[in-house]
Structure formats: structure tokens, C-alpha cells
Amino acid sequence: MLHCHIFRQPFTLFLTLILTISPTAQQQLTTTDLNALHQLMYSLTDVKTGGFFSTWDFSSPENACSSFAGVTCAVVNNNLRVVSLYLGTGLSDSPGLAGTISDTGLYELTELTQLVLFPGIVTGFIPSEIGHRLKNLRVISLTNNRLTGAIPESISELQNLHTLDLSHNKLTGKIPTTLTSALPELRVLVLSDNELTGEIPEFSDDSELMHLDLRNNMLTGTLPEKIPATLRYLSLSSNGLWGPVNWMTSAYLVYLDLSMNKFSGPIKDTLLRSCTSSMYLQRNNFSGELPLQLPLSFSGYGAGSTVDLSHNYLTGNIPNYLNSVETLFLNNNHFIGKVPESYVSNVFDGMMRTLYLQHNYLTAFPMGDGEGTALPDGVALCLSYNCMVPPAVGLTACPVSAGGPVTRPLRQCDLFKSGDTIG
């Protein structure tokens, strides 16, 4: 039986809080850490004068832990050390930092548990020995900059790493296999919007990854044989991945995005689960009929749910079980027959807020008495270019991409009735 589970442990995507021991008033930051901060400031710079580094005053560094922006300290083995470093303000109107990350400076901060670089225009490589030198790191977030080169293999040495976010850079090369197999504490892996190539590595059997985002890269090949059973968020959109999708989704999976790839074959019932309230499979090569029925454990979708199966090669009748989806895109497929009455009633009741069925081979949209004059406010319905004359309410909300013709040419519909296929 397939069940959806509610994940009851706290889930944070990026930054975790740490408990620090307040230093005594007399205690000062170690000279090693102070020099390391000095080197980092020399290699990085504020894009805007008077920005982040304006508080880093090395002429009077006695209170660096309390006066230096982005620096958090703790007493470790009777020494005051830097344990958390947030570089940049993170404010929406801030242009961030420029320059490069000084590896020699960073490597001296050996008690660092959190390293965060806010959006800016920082260039260069991620320090290659970051995992070998900074064994205590739990959070690495270096997003929205211009970092280049490969993801350092040494990151696999960070046995306490919880969050790795390197998204929105210009990183190249393959994803190290050890990122998905050698980091027992890893819960969040975000490598989206880079230029990564190769295949997605296999996951270890004991992986407890909860958030995986690899969208907008140049990844190829087929999917791993299985995905972590703990996943709640999975996005592989906009890559060059291909082949069937055979694995069973996580019982905790809330968000699934496989859109804009080259996946093929049927959409199996193991992908259709009540808990996956956001599912995007559009613009692939999926084909065949949708499952006629789902297991008894399937309890339907609900408010806020979105399912997008558009721009594939799906055939057959539209099944009843998608009638509880709030936003449903089935357009640009090869569906035939009548639209289920439950869909019609849910549209006019306002429970289904968006229903796009254009560019199929549907033959009827069965409206009952009192239906058909107007749609509820905020409801969008598109029925154009099917094998029927659509009701007026089925055309008012069609997107521009639906095109001009209201009805399919009769010859196309006759071919489908005879069992032939049309591209």
C-alpha cells in the first residue's frame, strides 16, 4: 500500500541556528582568526561604498565578535573562535560583494560551522580544500554569484554537513558521486542554475536527503535507480534527462518537478500520490494512458494543488481521480472522449480554479442545467482545438499560445476515431 506521511521533524532549507557561548568581556578573538578575517576582506570588496565591510575596523579589533557584521564567535577549548561567517548583507537592495574568496584566509577558520555568501558578483573557484580544512562545516551557502570551476571533491569529507547550496553560479563539470553517497547528515542539496554536466549520481541506501534541486543545468542520462525515501522536494527541471520514470516517489514528497526533459514511457501510479500536491511533468515525451484507478490509499488532491502534464503524448480518457486538483494542465496531449462530469461540476463550483484541456481530441464537455452562462470569478477554463464545438465559457480564458482555431479539423478527429495517431 502507498501511503503519504507527514514529516514531523523540523525542516529548514538553508540556515540552521547554532548555540554559542557568550565570550567574557575580556576575551578577544584569536590572532589566527583575526588575520584570517583580514585576508578575506582584502580579497573581497563591497560593490557599493559603505556597505558590508564598513564595520570591519581592524584598527580597533578588540570587539570583532560583536562589531564585525556577519561574524559570530564562540569559546572553543578556552579560545574565542569564529564559528559562523555571513558575507554580505543579504538585503534585496544590496549589490553584494565582488572579488574572490581567499582560500588561505578561509582555511584558518578551522572552527567554522556556517559559511554563507549572499548574492553578489564574487568570481573565481570555490576553495578546493574547503572540506579537508574546515571539518566542522554544517552549512555552505554560496548562492547567486559568479563562481566558476568544479564542485570540490573535498566537500565529501564534511561528515556533519547539513546544507549545501551552490545555486545560481557558473559551476561546471560533474556532480561528485560522493555528494549523494558519503555525507550522512546532508539534508539539503541545491545545485540549480549552473552549467553542470554528466549524470545524477546514485544515492546511498541510508541517505536522508530532504531537499534536492538540480534544475537548470545540462545534466544527461537516466534517473538514479532510486531516490531517498525522505525527500520532500525534488526538482530536476530543464536538463537533458531521458528514459522512463520507474521509481516509487517518497511518501513525504510534496513537490516534484521533472518538467522540460526527455522522459518517456507511461506515467505510473507510483508518481500519483495525494501528498505530492505540486507535480510538474510537462514538456517531456510521456506517452500511453494514465492509470485508470489508483490504490485505495489515494485520497485525492486538495486546495492549492497543481498538476501539470501538458505537452506530452498522453492518450486515452481523462481519469476521474484528478478532479480534485485545483490547478490542472492536461493541454497539448492526445486525450479522447468526454470530459468527466466531476471536472465540469468542480469548475463551476469554483473548486477547480484552472483547467486547461486545449489541443486534445476531446468530444464533449457535459454541462448540466444552470451551468454554462459564466464561470466563477478567478476560474480559468480552456477547451479550444478539440473534436467538439466548445461552449463559450471554454474559450474566454484561453492563453495566447492556444492559437486561433476553435475546433480541430474533422479529418484529424476521424483519424483518431479509427485508431490512427497524429503528431
Side-chain angles (χ1 to χ4, degrees):
M1 246 190 192
L2 301 178
H3 296 283
C4 297
H5 299 288
I6 299 174
F7 198 85
R8 300 187 181 278
Q9 295 181 12
F11 178 58
T12 55
L13 294 185
F14 300 111
L15 307 180
T16 56
L17 295 175
I18 59 171
L19 296 175
T20 61
I21 304 173
S22 299
T24 63
Q26 295 78 21
Q27 207 159 12
Q28 295 185 13
L29 188 64
T30 62
T31 302
T32 299
D33 282 14
L34 193 63
N35 290 337
L37 294 177
H38 209 174
Q39 290 185 59
L40 284 169
M41 193 180 76
Y42 269 124
S43 67
L44 295 168
T45 184
D46 284 301
V47 173
K48 184 178 179 180
T49 304
F52 172 74
F53 283 120
S54 61
T55 63
W56 287 33
D57 183 6
F58 287 93
S59 63
S60 55
E62 294 82 6
N63 300 313
C65 292
S66 58
S67 63
F68 283 25
V71 175
T72 301
C73 306
V75 177
V76 181
N77 295 326
N78 296 319
N79 292 310
L80 191 58
R81 304 295 306 275
V82 174
V83 294
S84 178
L85 186 59
Y86 289 62
L87 295 168
T89 65
L91 299 176
S92 59
D93 61 346
S94 171
L97 304 178
T100 59
I101 301 173
S102 169
D103 52 359
T104 55
L106 189 63
Y107 292 159
E108 296 300 323
L109 301 176
T110 55
E111 295 298 333
L112 203 61
T113 62
Q114 297 186 79
L115 174 62
V116 177
L117 175 64
F118 286 113
I121 54 174
V122 175
T123 59
F125 300 157
I126 299 171
S128 60
E129 295 186 30
I130 187 172
H132 182 65
R133 300 291 192 93
L134 306 180
K135 297 287 191 181
N136 296 311
L137 276 173
R138 296 194 69 245
V139 174
I140 301 176
S141 179
L142 310 175
T143 68
N144 287 273
N145 279 276
R146 300 178 184 178
L147 300 173
T148 55
I151 298 171
E153 293 275 357
S154 68
I155 289 179
S156 63
E157 299 181 42
L158 297 172
Q159 294 300 290
N160 295 318
L161 190 65
H162 175 281
T163 298
L164 178 62
D165 187 350
L166 307 177
S167 61
H168 293 273
N169 282 289
K170 299 179 182 297
L171 301 175
T172 55
K174 297 182 178 181
I175 300 173
T177 58
T178 47
L179 286 189
T180 58
S181 61
L183 297 172
E185 299 299 319
L186 190 65
R187 301 294 181 268
V188 179
L189 179 58
V190 184
L191 305 176
S192 59
D193 295 277
N194 280 288
E195 299 170 12
L196 300 172
T197 56
E199 298 187 357
I200 301 173
E202 293 290 338
F203 295 90
S204 63
D205 292 337
D206 55 355
S207 172
E208 296 186 15
L209 196 65
M210 299 164 66
H211 185 108
L212 177 62
D213 190 348
L214 304 178
R215 69 183 187 274
N216 293 325
N217 278 287
M218 295 183 286
L219 301 172
T220 55
T222 58
L223 291 173
E225 289 187 8
K226 57 187 174 183
I227 61 172
T230 48
L231 270 181
R232 294 191 63 189
Y233 180 106
L234 173 61
S235 180
L236 306 177
S237 175
S238 300
N239 281 286
L241 302 167
W242 55 274
V245 181
N246 290 324
W247 33 247
M248 182 184 300
T249 57
S250 161
Y252 301 105
L253 195 65
V254 174
Y255 185 100
L256 174 65
D257 189 353
L258 304 180
S259 64
M260 291 181 277
N261 281 284
K262 301 175 184 177
F263 294 120
S264 59
I267 295 176
K268 299 186 177 181
D269 59 1
T270 51
L271 283 179
L272 301 166
R273 309 182 78 164
S274 304
C275 47
T276 309
S277 57
S278 297
M279 184 170 68
Y280 302 92
L281 304 181
Q282 72 271 23
R283 297 187 183 276
N284 279 285
N285 297 321
F286 289 115
S287 60
E289 298 186 13
L290 292 175
L292 293 178
Q293 292 182 329
L294 295 181
L296 294 176
S297 58
F298 183 83
S299 58
Y301 295 94
S305 58
T306 298
V307 173
D308 192 342
L309 307 181
S310 66
H311 295 274
N312 281 289
Y313 300 95
L314 301 171
T315 59
N317 292 287
I318 297 174
N320 282 312
Y321 52 76
L322 294 176
N323 63 5
S324 57
V325 178
E326 184 174 293
T327 301
L328 179 61
F329 301 98
L330 299 178
N331 53 287
N332 296 84
N333 279 287
H334 294 165
F335 289 115
I336 61 172
K338 295 181 180 180
V339 177
E341 292 182 5
S342 58
Y343 286 61
V344 180
S345 59
N346 284 350
V347 165
F348 283 97
D349 289 343
M351 294 175 59
M352 185 175 280
R353 307 296 294 175
T354 301
L355 178 60
Y356 276 11
L357 297 174
Q358 68 271 23
H359 287 261
N360 280 288
Y361 296 83
L362 301 169
T363 55
F365 188 76
M367 296 187 297
D369 295 339
E371 295 174 339
T373 56
L375 294 172
D377 290 343
V379 171
L381 171 67
C382 185
L383 300 171
S384 69
Y385 211 67
N386 277 285
C387 298
M388 62 177 171
V389 177
V393 293
L395 299 173
T396 55
C398 288
V400 175
S401 60
V406 172
T407 304
R408 270 192 185 276
L410 185 60
R411 66 181 183 278
Q412 293 186 9
C413 298
D414 288 341
L415 282 172
F416 243 70
K417 288 180 183 177
S418 67
D420 295 331
T421 58
I422 298 175

